[in-house]
Amino acid sequence: MLELAIKAAREAGAMLKDLAGKAERIDRKAGEETNLVTELDRRSEEMIIGRIKAEYPEHEVLAEESGRDSKKSEYRWIIDPIDGTTNFAHGLPIFAVSIGIEFQGTLVAGVVYDPTRDEMFTVGKGKGAFLNGDRISVSTTTQLIESVVATGFPYDIRSNSENIEHFRNFLFEARALRRLGSAAIDLCYVACGRLDGYWELSLNPWDMAAGVLLVEEAGGKFTDLDGRLGSIYSKTVLTSNGRIHDQMVEVLRKGRSSWQRRK
Ligand code: IPD
Ligand code: CA
Ligand code: CA
């Protein structure tokens, strides 16, 4: 199954690389002024689902643009056909294809493909995390002040602005803070040590399914913002190399209480 996911991600990624910034049609998702979807989001998704269904017609699919199909299976493929659509639509070369696979509700494998850099991140539960076939692991940084961390903002940031508080706080508490615009790539970068930590408040399962397994298999930690067991279905995500995790939880805890006091 991982081989099939790799093939599908590579194929969709190759098409996206050629067409980045040249999408002919850019729509806005219903009622959401800033949430873009290009015709290529849909085409990439169709391409990936087509491959999966050809080989595993009985498996369930949960994909960003087409939602959840009606299949009841022990296997669920969780697909983001372009993670980083805003970057993609504007020709910013930071976007990826993400495919995660669950078996009986547990993540067992995943792929994130960044076609711009030809970087294929792959993972199997209990088998480790890899970048273009080489094993990867999280960084060894122990202090938040020596760390580079990242976050992202939801499309409904105007009505859901808590993360601005955290963003501000991490600017002071970490060495540097980045906002790359692709949750899947943020997670891969934690897995391979380019970032030491990453959090976000309002994600969907397809943004993080493959990425959080990559982080865990690379030796990192995935929890909710309070440091409790993480779930790809619970919107919030905190990942790190493990060593700075508690320090990040503390910054988030303080941020939440001051934000709630001011609300
Ligand atoms: C978005 C990206 C972005 C994150 C948003 C996601 P999309 O996914 O991952 O980095 O901050 O919350 O919705 O819409 O480009 O697939
Ligand atoms: Ca996404
Ligand atoms: Ca997407």
Side-chain angles (χ1 to χ4, degrees):
M1 273 188 302
L2 183 58
E3 283 313 309
L4 175 66
I6 293 172
K7 230 186 204 173
R10 202 183 287 287
E11 189 179 64
M15 173 194 70
L16 297 175
K17 188 182 172 194
D18 286 345
L19 296 170
K22 299 184 202 142
E24 286 153 30
R25 270 196 63 181
I26 300 178
D27 294 333
R28 287 171 183 81
K29 285 194 183 171
E32 297 180 67
E33 188 62 22
T34 53
N35 193 351
L36 306 179
V37 54
T38 68
E39 60 174 76
L40 294 172
D41 288 79
R42 299 190 193 97
R43 217 196 290 170
S44 170
E45 186 164 305
E46 277 163 22
M47 214 167 182
I48 296 164
I49 295 178
R51 277 218 171 258
I52 296 165
K53 290 288 174 190
E55 223 161 299
Y56 301 106
E58 73 288 2
H59 284 187
E60 185 186 321
V61 166
L62 169 63
E64 179 173 16
E65 309 306 337
S66 54
R68 193 175 145 189
D69 68 12
S70 53
K71 294 272 159 36
K72 271 263 155 282
S73 159
E74 293 190 308
Y75 288 97
R76 174 182 288 174
W77 295 68
I78 305 169
I79 302 161
D80 195 333
I82 306 179
D83 185 59
T85 290
T86 308
N87 285 349
F88 176 78
H90 287 257
L92 268 168
I94 306 175
F95 58 87
V97 175
S98 175
I99 306 174
I101 306 170
E102 280 184 346
F103 176 66
Q104 296 181 339
T106 299
L107 285 165
V108 291
V111 166
V112 175
Y113 181 52
D114 168 356
T116 309
R117 276 158 281 274
D118 192 22
E119 291 191 328
M120 178 70 75
F121 293 86
T122 56
V123 62
K125 193 169 176 60
K127 298 193 178 114
F130 299 85
L131 165 52
N132 291 343
D134 295 329
R135 207 178 182 109
I136 51 174
S137 54
V138 293
S139 69
T140 54
T141 318
T142 57
Q143 300 305 314
L144 185 53
I145 195 64
E146 290 168 8
S147 299
V148 181
V149 297
T151 189
F153 294 96
Y155 293 105
D156 66 348
I157 186 69
R158 285 157 192 81
S159 57
N160 176 7
S161 56
E162 177 184 334
N163 204 24
I164 296 175
E165 180 82 24
H166 302 308
F167 190 86
R168 184 183 173 282
N169 293 341
F170 275 104
L171 278 174
F172 293 113
E173 302 284 346
R175 171 174 290 164
L177 173 52
R178 300 289 181 252
R179 196 287 197 231
L180 302 180
S182 163
I185 288 185
D186 290 319
L187 290 162
C188 288
Y189 285 5
V190 173
C192 71
R194 292 175 189 164
L195 292 171
D196 305 290
Y198 160 72
W199 83 95
E200 195 159 338
L201 269 62
S202 194
L203 287 186
N204 286 299
W206 45 82
D207 300 310
M208 52 173 153
V212 296
L213 187 60
L214 273 153
V215 170
E216 287 181 331
E217 285 293 322
K221 204 165 169 178
F222 162 47
T223 68
D224 68 7
L225 301 186
D226 296 312
R228 290 187 299 246
L229 194 68
S231 159
I232 62 166
Y233 298 100
S234 77
K235 295 278 176 192
T236 60
V237 55
L238 170 60
T239 58
S240 78
N241 65 4
R243 298 163 172 91
I244 61 161
H245 212 82
D246 292 348
Q247 295 165 64
M248 290 187 76
V249 169
E250 187 54 21
V251 174
L252 292 163
R253 193 188 60 74
K254 280 192 189 146
R256 182 159 332 109
S257 40
S258 51
W259 183 75
Q260 267 161 358
R261 267 201 311 277
R262 279 210 316 276
K263 234 182 9 162

